[in-house]
């Protein structure tokens, strides 16, 4: 049977797994319940399953029987068939769910508001569909189930623990799907060549002054006006230093200083997010923002510290792999199920770390439940975000076809 029909036949199983993961969401790098559900769902398939050390990841390797390679000597033969990596993230967000769904989160303060429950369930579905085709697979597939996408850089930990070489040789291509509860209609896939998601930097700034009496600022070193200057100077930096066609966003989302009206505090603290869409713009903004913080403080005789915390690089789709992904979707599901994405998204993704090492594509999948209007539906991360189950079978089918067709293409880029 065709992949699409086999996927439809297991749609109920995929949705049930998705509901189970959704009802017990876990946040961060340690997701033991989610990990267990995935391992149980993979049970009985011809996979080599390993789990992470630094995080509760699951890596499963399917070795095709059609590649003339031996599991005992993986990677020994240069012509032993290529490796394709498929990735799903597993983690939830610290959000209290307000959707009212019958499988809504049973854990207060945790919700699968970014749809990673669908990703994990769809990838399990793809593991089943590809396992059933093992005899004809001319290579290997690595299934990467990853915790800690939301700010923890889980992908980086998995790369350090060897996921890209889990099949015995480096993956030739890597793909990830990401659902959206708004903006795209249910079942519509979207991607683009080149930059797909922004780089994100978290910059923590502390302006160090010297506290004193509010009536005698000349005896103190007031950090508040200096911090205010830094906030506005960062916006000027954006408009005067960067090409408007290679944009940068800087937002100071948190500004804290002082306790009352007549006391000059010792310090002011700012938390900043920075988004950029190319490696040169990213390098420049990182350097320029820190210099501006130090020099603005110094101009007033104060000092400042500026430290980056947990940054993600730009998610860059390989031109050929993005075209290939679009082709797979239109071949499999029809032209109306693919929409080219005109601009990169300003969100960030740690799949960027995978795409820094392996050519591949990050593909969005609309999951806005009809008849809700995707233009006004609550977007990912909202406590009201709802992702429609009808997309999971097609998601699993697209994962499967990407792997099948890419393996059949061989080592050629
Ligand atoms: Zn998210
Ligand atoms: Zn996400």
């Amino acid at each position: 049977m065709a992949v699409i029909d086999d996927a439809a036949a297991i749609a109920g199983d995929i949705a049930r797994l998705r509901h189970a993961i959704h009802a017990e969401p876990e946040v961060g790098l340690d997701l033991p319940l989610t990990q267990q559900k995935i391992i149980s769902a993979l049970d009985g398939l011809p996979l080599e399953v390993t789990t992470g050390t630094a995080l509760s990841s699951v890596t499963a390797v399917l070795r095709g029987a059609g590649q003339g390679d031996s599991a005992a000597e993986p990677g020994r033969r240069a012509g032993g068939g290529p490796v394709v990596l498929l990735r799903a993230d597993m983690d939830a967000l610290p959000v209290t769910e307000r959707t009212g769904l019958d499988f809504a989160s049973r854990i207060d303060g945790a919700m699968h508001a970014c749809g990673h429950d669908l990703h994990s369930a769809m990838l399990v579905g793809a593991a089943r569909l590809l396992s059933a085709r093992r005899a004809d697979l001319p290579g290997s597939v690595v299934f990467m189930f990853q915790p800690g996408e939301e700010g923890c850089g889980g992908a980086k930990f998995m790369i350090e623990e060897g996921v890209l070489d889990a099949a015995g040789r480096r993956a030739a291509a890597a793909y990830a799907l990401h659902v959206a509860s708004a903006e795209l209609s249910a079942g519509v896939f979207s991607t683009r060549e080149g930059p797909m998601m922004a780089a994100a930097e978290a910059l923590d700034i502390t302006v160090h002054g010297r506290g004193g009496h509010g009536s005698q600022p000349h005896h103190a070193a007031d950090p508040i006006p200096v911090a205010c200057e830094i906030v506005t100077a960062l916006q000027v930096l954006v408009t005067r230093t960067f090409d408007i066609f290679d944009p940068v966003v800087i937002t100071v989302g948190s500004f804290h200083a002082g306790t009352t009206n007549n006391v000059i505090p010792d310090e002011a603290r700012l938390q900043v997010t920075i988004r950029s869409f190319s490696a040169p713009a990213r390098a420049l903004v990182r350097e320029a923002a820190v210099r501006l913080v130090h020099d603005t403080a110094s101009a007033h005789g104060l000092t400042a510290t500026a430290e980056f915390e947990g940054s993600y690089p730009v998610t860059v789709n390989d031109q050929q792999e993005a075209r290939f992904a679009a082709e797979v979707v239109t071949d499999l599901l029809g032209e109306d199920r693919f929409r080219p994405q005109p601009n990169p998204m300003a969100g960030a993704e740690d799949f960027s770390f995978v795409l820094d090492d392996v050519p591949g594509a990050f593909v969005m999948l609309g999951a806005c439940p009809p008849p809700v209007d995707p233009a006004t539906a609550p977007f990912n991360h909202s406590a009201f975000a709802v992702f429609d189950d009808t997309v999971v079978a097609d998601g699993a089918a697209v994962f499967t076809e990407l792997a099948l067709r890419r393996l059949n293409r061989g080592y050629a880029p």
Side-chain angles (χ1 to χ4, degrees):
M1 268 213 305
V3 165
I4 198 82
D5 300 319
D6 284 353
I10 61 168
D13 289 354
I14 302 174
R16 269 188 293 282
L17 174 61
R18 183 248 159 157
H19 293 176
I21 295 172
H22 191 94
E24 282 190 301
E26 298 172 290
V27 176
L29 293 169
D30 186 30
L31 322 172
L33 300 173
T34 312
Q35 183 187 43
Q36 199 44 57
K37 289 184 184 81
I38 289 167
I39 291 172
S40 302
L42 297 176
D43 191 37
L45 298 177
L47 303 168
E48 296 159 27
V49 176
T50 52
T51 55
T53 308
L55 71 178
S56 57
S57 57
V58 179
T59 301
V61 178
L62 175 66
R63 291 185 195 282
Q67 60 178 312
D69 196 358
S70 106
E73 285 191 307
R76 282 295 170 91
R77 292 185 42 158
V83 177
V84 165
L85 182 146
L86 303 174
R87 178 270 209 162
D89 40 14
M90 302 154 65
D91 58 318
L93 283 156
V95 171
T96 297
E97 181 159 357
R98 297 174 70 188
T99 60
L101 292 170
D102 56 4
F103 57 92
S105 170
R106 294 199 294 263
I107 296 170
D108 222 22
M111 174 188 174
H112 271 290
C114 205
H116 300 181
D117 50 333
L118 285 87
H119 306 166
S120 293
M122 293 189 300
L123 193 57
V124 166
R128 286 177 61 178
L129 298 170
L130 284 161
S131 292
R133 289 162 175 78
R134 185 181 177 218
D136 306 320
L137 273 190
S140 299
V141 184
V142 175
F143 301 92
M144 172 183 179
F145 294 93
Q146 178 217 307
E149 191 287 318
E150 299 285 357
C152 303
K156 209 173 174 195
F157 289 102
M158 288 191 75
I159 291 169
E160 282 162 14
E161 294 188 359
V163 71
L164 302 181
D165 303 298
R169 54 190 171 273
R170 180 56 55 102
Y175 308 98
L177 292 180
H178 202 304
V179 291
S181 58
E183 295 180 2
L184 286 171
S185 301
V188 173
F189 292 76
S190 178
T191 194
R192 71 193 304 277
E193 297 164 24
M196 175 70 185
M197 307 280 287
E201 333 282 334
L203 179 63
D204 285 355
I205 299 169
T206 305
V207 180
H208 304 281
R210 193 173 63 254
H213 199 292
S215 68
Q216 297 183 315
H218 60 293
H219 286 315
D222 191 349
I224 290 181
V226 175
C228 291
E229 253 183 68
I230 289 172
V231 173
T232 49
L234 285 170
Q235 300 310 315
V236 176
L237 177 76
V238 169
T239 68
R240 302 295 90 182
T241 307
F242 294 93
D243 183 342
I244 54 168
F245 298 108
D246 187 7
V248 166
V249 176
I250 301 183
T251 293
V252 179
S254 167
F255 185 130
H256 287 280
T259 50
T260 186
N261 68 74
N262 59 358
V263 177
I264 292 171
D266 283 325
E267 59 184 37
R269 309 189 71 166
L270 310 176
Q271 290 181 296
V272 183
T273 188
I274 303 176
R275 307 291 161 127
S276 56
F277 299 89
S278 74
R282 183 183 185 217
L284 180 58
V285 74
R286 282 176 68 95
E287 186 252 309
V290 169
R291 187 183 64 232
L292 181 146
V293 168
H294 287 139
D295 290 359
T296 306
S298 157
H300 295 280
L302 278 67
T303 60
T305 48
E307 279 165 12
F308 289 104
E309 305 268 337
S311 303
Y312 286 180
V314 185
T315 302
V316 183
N317 284 338
D318 178 81
Q319 190 182 56
Q320 200 166 355
E321 295 299 345
R323 275 183 207 163
F324 166 70
E327 248 170 58
V328 166
V329 170
T330 50
D331 270 12
L332 193 66
L333 302 166
E335 301 250 322
D336 59 333
R337 298 286 297 279
F338 181 78
R339 197 183 84 179
Q341 184 152 318
N343 298 308
M345 301 169 80
E349 243 299 328
D350 70 355
F351 191 61
S352 51
F353 291 112
V354 175
L355 293 184
D356 271 357
D357 289 340
V358 174
F362 185 79
V363 179
M364 297 301 294
L365 165 55
C368 179
V372 179
D373 181 357
T376 54
F379 194 53
N380 295 32
H381 291 207
S382 161
F384 295 97
V386 175
F387 301 87
D388 198 53
D389 277 340
T390 56
V391 306
V392 294
D394 288 348
V398 166
F399 261 143
T400 303
E401 283 285 338
L402 284 169
L404 283 175
R405 296 191 193 194
R406 183 62 187 81
L407 290 179
N408 278 302
R409 213 167 83 204
Y411 278 106

